[in-house]
Amino acid sequence: MADIGVGMLGYAFMGKAHSNAFKKIAYITWPPPLSPRLVGIAGRNEQAVEEAARRYGYDYATTDWRDLVADERIGLFDNGGPNSLHAEPTIAAAEAGKHVVCEKPLGRDAAESYEIWQRVAATGVKHLCAFNYRFVPAVRLARELVDAGELGEVRHFRGRYLQDWGDDAGLDTWRFHPDEAGSGALGDLGTHVIDLARFLNGEISTVTGFLKTFLPGRKVDDALEAAVEFENGSVGTIEATRLALGRRNAFQWEINGSKASLAFDMERLNELQVFRADGDRARGFKTVLVSETDHPFWQHWWPPGHIIGWGDTFVHELHHVLEAIATGGNVAPYGATFEDGYRAAEVADAIDRSGERGAREAVRYKS
Amino acid sequence: MADIGVGMLGYAFMGKAHSNAFKKIAYITWPPPLSPRLVGIAGRNEQAVEEAARRYGYDYATTDWRDLVADERIGLFDNGGPNSLHAEPTIAAAEAGKHVVCEKPLGRDAAESYEIWQRVAATGVKHLCAFNYRFVPAVRLARELVDAGELGEVRHFRGRYLQDWGDDAGLDTWRFHPDEAGSGALGDLGTHVIDLARFLNGEISTVTGFLKTFLPGRKVDDALEAAVEFENGSVGTIEATRLALGRRNAFQWEINGSKASLAFDMERLNELQVFRADGDRARGFKTVLVSETDHPFWQHWWPPGHIIGWGDTFVHELHHVLEAIATGGNVAPYGATFEDGYRAAEVADAIDRSGERGAREAVRYKS
Amino acid sequence: MADIGVGMLGYAFMGKAHSNAFKKIAYITWPPPLSPRLVGIAGRNEQAVEEAARRYGYDYATTDWRDLVADERIGLFDNGGPNSLHAEPTIAAAEAGKHVVCEKPLGRDAAESYEIWQRVAATGVKHLCAFNYRFVPAVRLARELVDAGELGEVRHFRGRYLQDWGDDAGLDTWRFHPDEAGSGALGDLGTHVIDLARFLNGEISTVTGFLKTFLPGRKVDDALEAAVEFENGSVGTIEATRLALGRRNAFQWEINGSKASLAFDMERLNELQVFRADGDRARGFKTVLVSETDHPFWQHWWPPGHIIGWGDTFVHELHHVLEAIATGGNVAPYGATFEDGYRAAEVADAIDRSGERGAREAVRYKS
Amino acid sequence: MADIGVGMLGYAFMGKAHSNAFKKIAYITWPPPLSPRLVGIAGRNEQAVEEAARRYGYDYATTDWRDLVADERIGLFDNGGPNSLHAEPTIAAAEAGKHVVCEKPLGRDAAESYEIWQRVAATGVKHLCAFNYRFVPAVRLARELVDAGELGEVRHFRGRYLQDWGDDAGLDTWRFHPDEAGSGALGDLGTHVIDLARFLNGEISTVTGFLKTFLPGRKVDDALEAAVEFENGSVGTIEATRLALGRRNAFQWEINGSKASLAFDMERLNELQVFRADGDRARGFKTVLVSETDHPFWQHWWPPGHIIGWGDTFVHELHHVLEAIATGGNVAPYGATFEDGYRAAEVADAIDRSGERGAREAVRYKS
């Protein structure tokens, strides 16, 4: 079985999530398209990154990501570092001929995201922006229903990503530093909403809304609120916040079409709510447990009803990129490319500008 | 027991809902503050209004609402007619010294609503704008928790009123005629959301959003989407639509505070979701069945767990206005006065203007 | 419009529920089959029964139910008294030619229930045992699905009625007195479960289980647990308790067929859960809000999604008996006759005997 | 870091689940108590077991489990084979000095289970019967609440394990062969219910119920229904079926105490429903997402709200046994020992006998 060397930047939350996924791909998806070999891992804290190498089984640890870029055994560079470390290492890795995965948001704003996309696309390597929620089985099932025309004309998309850990003035993390993060809830949570809005309902044409910072002294936005129009004529809202008490990871969305409606909550990620206008007198939303043998990704897992976890979305995502590498296939449309990463950033920036200017903003994409 | 003569304008949906409530108040709320005597009912269709009089037990039917205004036996004039019939009869009744109830929206726009409010307020009669959802036990319980400071600092209010009967090009009703209705989803559903937003979270300071009409040939809005700021510093969204397939009467809202969050769905109107940051290791939203002996309005009803219906909200609402009449007490703050009706219209108009102008609108109220 | 005089025995919980229903039937169901005229109400406490007469509008109150039996204006005798007062007044009223409604359980045991049934049936009047939950729209819809063969072969019926008010040693009510009540949770809650089991799934052939009393000094059962077999080959459980903390009125049941499954909870009585094996890839239980224009009883009510309350089940039930009287039609199969009341008692007694004898009991019905 | 050699019997469903767990333990639980080294895997089908060895990374495959027993590098023998292969290999491995894990049910009946327990216990090795649902975070949290006395006096335990794959006459698997399986739903699903009943509520004293086979020609039971009494005075039901259409893995249970109630559904395994009688006016069941930093097992995983999957319960379970091995600690009380496996079998046999004899059975355990 062919394998591929992996170089990982970042050892904390995303480093753990991605490393776990690479390890599971090797046997849960069988046979894997390429067997991931964990070559090197990079991070700023020497002791921590060395422990991570031992923990996940990387051949070596380094505090300099350039070591990964220079390592010829590495065929896939996976960037799970802070947002400020997305551009340079990712571009360098691609220019060194490595396929690249980069955590979201792609850059700290649309300009940086565009630069990353353009520079990487020019190299011809595969690139995936890690909007992992595209790889939730229920989300992929939703996409398949949309693609099959089962929703009819879409009227509404409403998406909101609600967390509550931000209501703590004493907390500090790079996510609160404008230099490292670029923005707050906007880049962290808002881009997830924007990406699924685009994934499920197509391009957003206008936004009108604003960012909001609640806590005195906090330097990034805590929340965003926006009303949006889509190119397909549907309308809705996009919201994200780190201060919705009691909501831990509630990325909720709903689409209303003329023939079917779908609804979802990430806190119950194995379920999709499906309403069909099929004339049945027993009319209502179905709670679909997305774990049937004919459901997306389920060939890898367990018998129906034996649910999977949040961490497993990364298994599907990285499996997808390995398959694209192995077969020469495309990351799009099921995976988010760096173009998708850039486009999400344009929408995010438009929301920010809308708030600044107090006006509706048309979203314009560069090509 | 003292009684009060009731004159009803309208015999269809709202005529039925209000007549039922007056009849139930007489014995379910015991003793009632005033015993309603159904004197006269007015409507455009002679045959239909006569049947309504027989059905609900009004002494007489008339096709001219002026008969009710002229009838000295009538102490309370209840206007459940189309929006275009709100202003003139309501003002006339108040100027004839009758207490007045008027269905929402108060007028077809803020200007008309202001006129109604000012003219009626000048007479000194009691006035209630029939935002009946203030009288859902779960909504009143929410308000009591807010008033008691149990939410802490409020961060978010999100409200959306989702129905789906509007996705039918062949349908006709006065609700689709601009003359009679003033607006579509905005006045019909949007003002309900605005009223509860104000009831639970105080005044709205800015709105940015738009109205949307989906169906070709439809002359009123089908939906609205808006991002809003409140005077208390919280932010959120206000949405309403008649084209959310599968949602029949889903008036859903959520408030996130620093100490508690609340969530609600009118399709399960007996339930309030309550999250408290109380340090309990078992952390989560409670599904509160609002039917305990110490819950709002429950003194009138059944043992705990024996739920009430949508129609019963009118019992509470009209009981409230009868009590204000009997005791000389105020309709506010638990009931919506005509000032509340006017203020909801100002917010609604601001959303409309925001869409027209493509800009954020500050909400300004006349006094 | 023809009317019928009603005599009511009992003014407390059931007296209120039935009186409310008679008053609503007169206008909510339009035109009503017969217009109920509230003639007389009887109860033990003179002051309380007189207040009830004023409250609900009965012509007179009496402390002697024989006055009602003797009153020729009364065509329907409705017995909402304690269980010990079911037999004699009900039989007397029927023998005086009045149609009779009697609250459940029909008698305090199978023998008494049989006597009531036989004596009343011999008179030829209409008789209904007030198992009102047959008149929940979701329950009737379930029955219609069963009747249409949409469930296929039934495998399981599981029913449990969970309340929690009984875990209070200081509480006293006739429901705890063996003389007046006959039994505890068994007659009060268990017979409801048995009745719906029979209504939805046919006759029970064997039971094996027991009664349980938790509180020292309590003289009736607090709970029952039983495993049961049905004549159609399906199996399941029947449970009831007054000590299930947090469950206020949770009468929950589920039926599993080879083609469809149904599930229900009385605390959300407007909803029916429906699973169909229809080959849809989106597979799951639908949450059906039973409020569509083609749903049972809904012709009387509001637009879809505007839910009704527990008290409204009595409107449907008493409307049903009035229709049977007006048209000469049958109370069965949608209404429970006294034979159904008797049969529920046989099953209840069999559970009691099973517990006493420690053995499975075949259920045998007398005809 | 110390490691331990693992020998696995079985490569299909349980072989996959356990192998995955051993691989994840090595890095998700950090540092692991012992690092599992996958030495050998045994199975009947040579080609399949060889592929499994490649897939999961075992050093070798064999069609003779005796090779594993004889292999000195193996310190832990994990038996995931069919029930008929539980006794001999497990006993042999233990007698060879290896610690043993055995899938449930321990034996095909109480006698065989007793034999396994006694023979293995005599060797002094650690033994765990793989009732993995004890290692669901929500179940462990429930146990901790029980242990802390937070439920008060327990009144009820109701447990049912509902699946629907059995309603297919054409299906064949060893699970339908009495020789290999011992029983049907009873051993497969029923013992899970019995084990959690014992884990959460203590010993069962009596059972009354029966087994049921629906499909002609099926040689094992499809379902069981029982009413039960516990030694602590509480009562309830135990049910399991493979023919509850629409229920895929619905292991549902509820406990009602005098101070708190708990409820659970395996299809939403990250959630625990918790009701507390704490006097709060907002009274209801909390939906607790069991993913907080102070929740059981959560130190291994992700930030709150990022849920885990069914497969991860095996990570916790096998981590637990490795810890017991590493530290010399006990498998009980949080893990099920072979004594627990035996006791579950006694209860299962008693239900079977109850059905055969038509009588209540006292449960008696040998020591």
Side-chain angles (χ1 to χ4, degrees):
Chain A
M1 186 178 306
D3 59 16
I4 184 167
V6 171
M8 184 81 217
L9 171 52
Y11 53 81
F13 183 25
M14 281 302 121
K16 180 179 177 181
H18 286 238
S19 298
N20 172 55
F22 283 123
K23 295 176 81 69
K24 288 186 79 163
I25 285 168
Y27 61 88
I28 280 285
T29 76
W30 187 255
L34 287 170
S35 193
R37 198 158 26 85
L38 303 187
V39 175
I41 186 166
R44 284 179 287 195
N45 180 314
E46 184 170 351
Q47 200 175 342
V49 73
E50 282 182 354
E51 183 170 16
R54 277 196 304 280
R55 180 173 184 176
Y56 302 115
Y58 288 89
D59 293 343
Y60 65 85
T62 172
T63 57
D64 186 352
W65 55 262
R66 288 170 188 81
D67 292 342
L68 304 180
V69 171
D71 189 332
E72 296 198 346
R73 292 167 299 173
I74 290 173
L76 173 63
F77 179 80
D78 186 346
N79 191 335
N83 303 344
S84 53
L85 266 178
H86 286 185
E88 192 185 359
T90 302
I91 292 168
E95 293 184 343
K98 298 177 196 323
H99 302 290
V100 286
V101 167
C102 183
E103 262 304 320
K104 39 60 57 181
L106 184 56
R108 283 164 294 182
D109 58 18
E112 189 176 59
S113 302
Y114 184 73
E115 169 82 4
I116 300 174
W117 168 40
Q118 289 294 308
R119 293 279 295 276
V120 168
T123 67
V125 302
K126 302 291 178 197
H127 45 90
L128 177 136
C129 182
F131 284 116
N132 61 306
Y133 293 143
R134 292 185 176 211
F135 293 90
V136 172
V139 172
R140 173 68 74 87
L141 178 58
R143 168 70 187 238
E144 292 178 7
L145 295 171
V146 168
D147 285 351
E150 298 190 31
L151 269 65
E153 262 182 79
V154 178
R155 309 305 192 182
H156 292 287
F157 177 91
R158 273 169 237 104
R160 52 191 168 274
Y161 201 147
L162 313 179
Q163 295 187 341
D164 68 355
W165 57 274
D167 207 348
D168 176 352
L171 196 66
D172 193 23
T173 142
W174 66 263
R175 294 175 191 276
F176 290 151
H177 297 176
D179 289 2
E180 288 177 281
S183 64
L186 181 65
D188 183 20
L189 307 178
T191 56
H192 268 307
V193 184
I194 293 163
D195 184 63
L196 283 201
R198 292 182 61 250
F199 185 59
L200 295 171
N201 199 32
E203 296 298 346
I204 292 167
S205 51
T206 76
V207 302
T208 182
F210 50 83
L211 311 188
K212 173 75 182 181
T213 301
F214 292 105
L215 268 60
R218 181 149 299 162
K219 295 190 167 54
V220 295
D221 56 285
D222 288 320
L224 60 119
E225 308 285 352
V228 303
E229 296 176 289
F230 290 81
E231 289 187 359
N232 66 5
S234 62
V235 298
T237 45
I238 286 181
E239 303 175 79
T241 180
R242 291 166 169 169
L243 283 87
L245 185 69
R247 304 298 179 190
R248 292 309 240 166
N249 199 33
F251 181 0
Q252 306 168 340
W253 52 259
E254 176 166 334
I255 309 182
N256 304 120
S258 57
K259 291 164 55 181
S261 286
L262 308 175
F264 176 80
D265 186 337
M266 193 65 69
E267 290 184 353
R268 287 179 173 165
L269 69 85
N270 293 275
E271 300 178 13
L272 184 67
Q273 301 284 324
V274 179
F275 182 94
R276 290 185 187 280
D278 58 5
D280 187 356
R281 190 182 180 207
R283 185 185 193 279
F285 277 84
K286 281 182 196 177
T287 300
V288 178
L289 199 52
V290 188
S291 61
E292 298 296 315
T293 50
D294 65 344
H295 281 169
F297 310 114
W298 215 258
Q299 72 274 19
H300 305 314
W301 299 102
W302 316 108
H306 296 67
I307 65 173
I308 60 167
W310 172 86
D312 298 322
T313 62
F314 294 92
V315 172
H316 306 155
E317 179 178 64
L318 295 173
H319 177 272
H320 179 77
V321 80
L322 293 181
E323 197 161 59
I325 293 167
T327 64
N330 290 325
V331 167
Y334 291 126
T337 64
F338 281 9
E339 181 172 9
D340 291 305
Y342 156 67
R343 288 186 168 226
E346 281 288 11
V347 179
D349 281 16
I351 293 172
D352 190 7
R353 281 199 313 275
S354 174
E356 291 297 318
R357 296 185 45 235
R360 187 189 309 149
E361 290 285 314
V363 179
R364 290 188 219 290
Y365 303 111
K366 293 193 279 188
S367 56
Chain B
M1 187 179 303
D3 59 17
I4 185 168
V6 172
M8 183 80 217
L9 171 51
Y11 53 82
F13 183 25
M14 281 303 121
K16 180 178 177 182
H18 287 237
S19 297
N20 171 56
F22 284 123
K23 295 175 81 69
K24 288 186 79 164
I25 285 168
Y27 61 89
I28 281 285
T29 74
W30 188 255
L34 287 170
S35 191
R37 198 158 26 84
L38 303 187
V39 175
I41 186 166
R44 285 179 286 195
N45 181 313
E46 184 172 352
Q47 200 175 340
V49 72
E50 282 182 354
E51 185 171 15
R54 278 195 303 280
R55 181 172 184 179
Y56 303 114
Y58 287 89
D59 293 341
Y60 65 86
T62 173
T63 56
D64 186 354
W65 55 262
R66 288 169 189 81
D67 291 342
L68 304 181
V69 171
D71 190 332
E72 296 197 346
R73 292 167 300 173
I74 291 174
L76 174 63
F77 180 80
D78 186 346
N79 192 335
N83 303 344
S84 53
L85 267 178
H86 285 183
E88 192 185 359
T90 303
I91 293 167
E95 292 184 343
K98 299 177 196 320
H99 302 290
V100 287
V101 167
C102 184
E103 262 304 320
K104 39 57 61 180
L106 184 56
R108 283 164 294 181
D109 59 17
E112 189 177 60
S113 301
Y114 184 74
E115 170 81 4
I116 300 173
W117 169 40
Q118 289 294 308
R119 294 279 294 277
V120 168
T123 68
V125 302
K126 303 290 178 196
H127 44 90
L128 177 138
C129 182
F131 284 116
N132 61 305
Y133 293 142
R134 293 184 176 211
F135 294 90
V136 172
V139 172
R140 172 69 73 86
L141 177 59
R143 167 72 187 238
E144 292 179 8
L145 295 172
V146 168
D147 284 352
E150 299 190 30
L151 269 66
E153 262 182 79
V154 178
R155 309 306 192 180
H156 292 287
F157 177 91
R158 275 169 235 103
R160 50 191 169 275
Y161 200 148
L162 312 178
Q163 295 187 341
D164 67 357
W165 58 273
D167 207 347
D168 177 352
L171 195 66
D172 194 24
T173 141
W174 66 263
R175 293 176 191 274
F176 291 151
H177 296 177
D179 288 1
E180 288 176 281
S183 64
L186 181 64
D188 184 20
L189 307 178
T191 55
H192 269 307
V193 184
I194 293 163
D195 184 63
L196 284 200
R198 293 182 60 251
F199 185 59
L200 295 172
N201 199 31
E203 296 299 345
I204 292 167
S205 51
T206 76
V207 302
T208 181
F210 51 83
L211 310 189
K212 173 75 182 180
T213 302
F214 292 105
L215 268 61
R218 181 148 299 163
K219 295 189 167 55
V220 296
D221 56 285
D222 288 320
L224 60 120
E225 307 285 351
V228 302
E229 296 176 290
F230 289 82
E231 290 187 359
N232 66 5
S234 62
V235 298
T237 46
I238 286 181
E239 304 176 78
T241 181
R242 290 166 168 168
L243 282 89
L245 185 69
R247 304 299 179 188
R248 293 309 243 166
N249 199 33
F251 181 1
Q252 306 168 339
W253 52 259
E254 176 166 333
I255 310 181
N256 305 119
S258 58
K259 290 164 54 182
S261 285
L262 308 175
F264 176 80
D265 186 336
M266 193 66 68
E267 290 185 352
R268 288 178 173 165
L269 69 84
N270 293 275
E271 300 178 12
L272 184 67
Q273 301 284 323
V274 179
F275 182 94
R276 291 185 186 279
D278 58 4
D280 187 355
R281 190 184 180 204
R283 185 185 194 278
F285 276 84
K286 282 182 195 177
T287 300
V288 178
L289 199 52
V290 187
S291 61
E292 299 296 315
T293 50
D294 64 343
H295 282 170
F297 309 114
W298 214 257
Q299 72 275 19
H300 305 313
W301 298 103
W302 316 108
H306 295 68
I307 66 174
I308 61 167
W310 172 86
D312 298 322
T313 61
F314 294 91
V315 172
H316 307 154
E317 178 177 64
L318 296 173
H319 177 271
H320 179 77
V321 79
L322 293 181
E323 197 160 60
I325 294 168
T327 65
N330 290 323
V331 167
Y334 290 125
T337 63
F338 282 9
E339 179 171 10
D340 292 303
Y342 156 67
R343 288 187 166 224
E346 281 288 11
V347 178
D349 281 14
I351 293 172
D352 189 8
R353 280 198 313 277
S354 173
E356 291 298 317
R357 296 185 46 234
R360 186 188 308 149
E361 290 286 312
V363 180
R364 289 188 220 290
Y365 303 111
K366 293 193 280 187
S367 56
Chain C
M1 186 178 304
D3 60 17
I4 185 168
V6 171
M8 184 80 217
L9 170 52
Y11 53 81
F13 183 24
M14 281 302 121
K16 180 179 178 182
H18 287 238
S19 298
N20 171 57
F22 283 122
K23 294 175 82 69
K24 288 186 80 164
I25 286 168
Y27 61 88
I28 280 284
T29 76
W30 187 256
L34 287 170
S35 192
R37 199 159 26 84
L38 303 187
V39 175
I41 186 165
R44 284 180 284 195
N45 180 313
E46 184 171 351
Q47 201 175 339
V49 73
E50 282 182 355
E51 185 171 15
R54 277 195 304 280
R55 179 172 184 178
Y56 302 114
Y58 288 90
D59 293 343
Y60 65 86
T62 173
T63 56
D64 186 352
W65 55 262
R66 287 170 189 82
D67 292 342
L68 304 180
V69 171
D71 189 332
E72 297 198 345
R73 291 167 301 173
I74 290 174
L76 174 63
F77 180 81
D78 186 345
N79 191 335
N83 303 345
S84 53
L85 266 179
H86 285 184
E88 191 185 359
T90 302
I91 293 168
E95 292 184 344
K98 299 176 196 322
H99 303 290
V100 286
V101 167
C102 184
E103 263 304 321
K104 38 60 57 180
L106 184 56
R108 283 163 295 180
D109 58 19
E112 189 176 59
S113 301
Y114 184 73
E115 169 81 4
I116 300 173
W117 169 39
Q118 288 294 308
R119 294 279 294 277
V120 167
T123 67
V125 302
K126 302 291 178 195
H127 44 90
L128 177 138
C129 182
F131 284 116
N132 62 306
Y133 292 143
R134 292 184 175 211
F135 293 90
V136 172
V139 172
R140 173 68 75 88
L141 177 59
R143 167 71 188 239
E144 292 178 7
L145 295 171
V146 168
D147 285 351
E150 298 190 31
L151 269 65
E153 262 181 80
V154 178
R155 310 307 192 179
H156 291 288
F157 177 91
R158 274 169 236 103
R160 52 191 169 275
Y161 200 148
L162 312 179
Q163 295 187 342
D164 67 356
W165 57 273
D167 207 348
D168 177 351
L171 197 65
D172 193 24
T173 142
W174 66 263
R175 293 174 191 276
F176 291 152
H177 297 178
D179 288 1
E180 288 176 281
S183 63
L186 181 65
D188 183 21
L189 306 177
T191 55
H192 268 307
V193 184
I194 292 164
D195 184 63
L196 283 201
R198 293 183 60 251
F199 185 60
L200 295 171
N201 199 32
E203 296 299 346
I204 292 167
S205 51
T206 75
V207 301
T208 181
F210 51 83
L211 310 188
K212 173 76 182 180
T213 301
F214 292 105
L215 268 61
R218 182 148 297 163
K219 296 191 166 54
V220 296
D221 56 285
D222 288 321
L224 60 121
E225 307 286 352
V228 302
E229 295 176 291
F230 289 82
E231 289 187 359
N232 66 5
S234 62
V235 299
T237 45
I238 287 181
E239 304 175 78
T241 180
R242 290 167 170 167
L243 283 87
L245 185 69
R247 304 299 179 189
R248 292 309 242 166
N249 199 32
F251 180 1
Q252 306 168 339
W253 52 258
E254 176 165 334
I255 310 181
N256 305 120
S258 57
K259 290 164 55 182
S261 286
L262 308 175
F264 176 81
D265 185 338
M266 193 66 67
E267 289 185 354
R268 288 178 173 165
L269 69 85
N270 292 276
E271 300 179 12
L272 184 67
Q273 301 285 323
V274 179
F275 182 94
R276 290 186 187 279
D278 58 4
D280 187 355
R281 190 183 181 207
R283 185 185 194 279
F285 276 84
K286 282 182 194 177
T287 300
V288 178
L289 199 52
V290 188
S291 61
E292 299 296 315
T293 50
D294 64 344
H295 281 170
F297 309 113
W298 214 257
Q299 72 275 19
H300 305 314
W301 299 103
W302 317 108
H306 295 67
I307 66 173
I308 61 167
W310 172 87
D312 297 322
T313 62
F314 294 92
V315 172
H316 306 154
E317 178 177 64
L318 296 174
H319 177 272
H320 179 77
V321 78
L322 293 181
E323 197 161 60
I325 293 167
T327 66
N330 290 324
V331 167
Y334 291 126
T337 63
F338 281 9
E339 180 173 9
D340 291 304
Y342 156 67
R343 288 186 167 226
E346 281 288 10
V347 179
D349 281 14
I351 293 171
D352 190 7
R353 280 199 312 275
S354 173
E356 291 297 319
R357 295 185 45 234
R360 187 189 308 150
E361 291 284 313
V363 180
R364 290 189 219 291
Y365 303 111
K366 293 193 279 188
S367 57
Chain D
M1 186 180 304
D3 59 16
I4 185 167
V6 172
M8 183 81 217
L9 170 52
Y11 54 81
F13 183 25
M14 281 304 120
K16 181 179 177 183
H18 287 237
S19 298
N20 171 57
F22 284 123
K23 295 176 81 68
K24 287 186 79 163
I25 285 168
Y27 61 88
I28 281 285
T29 75
W30 187 255
L34 287 170
S35 192
R37 199 160 23 86
L38 303 188
V39 176
I41 185 166
R44 284 178 287 196
N45 180 313
E46 184 171 352
Q47 200 175 341
V49 72
E50 282 181 354
E51 185 171 16
R54 277 195 304 280
R55 181 173 183 176
Y56 303 115
Y58 287 90
D59 293 342
Y60 65 86
T62 173
T63 57
D64 186 353
W65 54 263
R66 288 170 189 80
D67 292 342
L68 305 180
V69 170
D71 189 333
E72 297 198 346
R73 291 167 300 174
I74 291 174
L76 173 63
F77 179 81
D78 185 345
N79 192 334
N83 303 344
S84 53
L85 267 179
H86 285 184
E88 192 184 0
T90 303
I91 293 167
E95 292 184 344
K98 299 177 195 321
H99 302 291
V100 286
V101 167
C102 184
E103 261 305 321
K104 39 58 57 181
L106 183 57
R108 284 165 293 181
D109 59 17
E112 189 176 57
S113 301
Y114 185 73
E115 170 81 5
I116 300 173
W117 169 39
Q118 289 294 308
R119 294 279 294 277
V120 168
T123 67
V125 302
K126 302 290 178 197
H127 45 91
L128 176 137
C129 182
F131 284 116
N132 62 307
Y133 292 142
R134 292 185 177 210
F135 293 90
V136 172
V139 172
R140 173 68 74 87
L141 177 59
R143 167 72 187 238
E144 292 179 7
L145 295 172
V146 168
D147 284 352
E150 298 190 30
L151 269 65
E153 262 182 78
V154 179
R155 310 306 191 180
H156 291 288
F157 177 91
R158 275 168 237 104
R160 51 191 169 274
Y161 199 148
L162 312 179
Q163 295 187 341
D164 67 356
W165 58 273
D167 207 347
D168 177 351
L171 196 67
D172 194 22
T173 143
W174 67 262
R175 293 176 191 275
F176 291 151
H177 297 177
D179 289 1
E180 288 177 282
S183 64
L186 181 66
D188 183 20
L189 307 178
T191 55
H192 268 308
V193 185
I194 293 163
D195 183 64
L196 283 200
R198 293 183 60 250
F199 185 59
L200 295 172
N201 199 31
E203 296 298 348
I204 292 167
S205 51
T206 76
V207 301
T208 182
F210 50 83
L211 310 188
K212 173 77 183 179
T213 302
F214 292 105
L215 268 61
R218 181 148 299 162
K219 295 189 168 53
V220 295
D221 56 285
D222 288 320
L224 62 119
E225 306 286 351
V228 303
E229 295 176 290
F230 290 81
E231 289 187 0
N232 66 4
S234 63
V235 299
T237 46
I238 286 180
E239 304 176 78
T241 180
R242 291 166 168 169
L243 282 89
L245 185 69
R247 303 299 178 189
R248 293 309 242 166
N249 199 33
F251 181 1
Q252 306 168 339
W253 53 258
E254 176 166 333
I255 310 182
N256 306 119
S258 58
K259 290 163 56 182
S261 286
L262 308 175
F264 177 80
D265 186 337
M266 193 66 68
E267 290 185 352
R268 287 179 173 164
L269 69 83
N270 292 275
E271 299 178 13
L272 183 67
Q273 301 284 323
V274 179
F275 182 95
R276 291 185 186 279
D278 58 5
D280 188 355
R281 191 182 179 206
R283 185 185 194 278
F285 276 84
K286 282 183 195 177
T287 299
V288 177
L289 200 52
V290 187
S291 61
E292 298 297 315
T293 49
D294 64 344
H295 282 170
F297 309 114
W298 214 257
Q299 72 273 21
H300 306 313
W301 298 102
W302 316 107
H306 295 68
I307 65 173
I308 61 167
W310 171 87
D312 298 323
T313 62
F314 294 92
V315 172
H316 307 154
E317 178 178 65
L318 295 173
H319 177 272
H320 180 77
V321 79
L322 293 180
E323 197 161 59
I325 292 168
T327 64
N330 290 323
V331 167
Y334 290 126
T337 64
F338 281 9
E339 179 173 9
D340 292 305
Y342 156 67
R343 288 187 167 225
E346 280 289 10
V347 179
D349 281 14
I351 293 171
D352 190 8
R353 281 199 312 276
S354 173
E356 291 297 318
R357 296 185 45 234
R360 187 189 307 149
E361 291 284 313
V363 180
R364 291 188 220 289
Y365 304 111
K366 292 194 279 187
S367 57

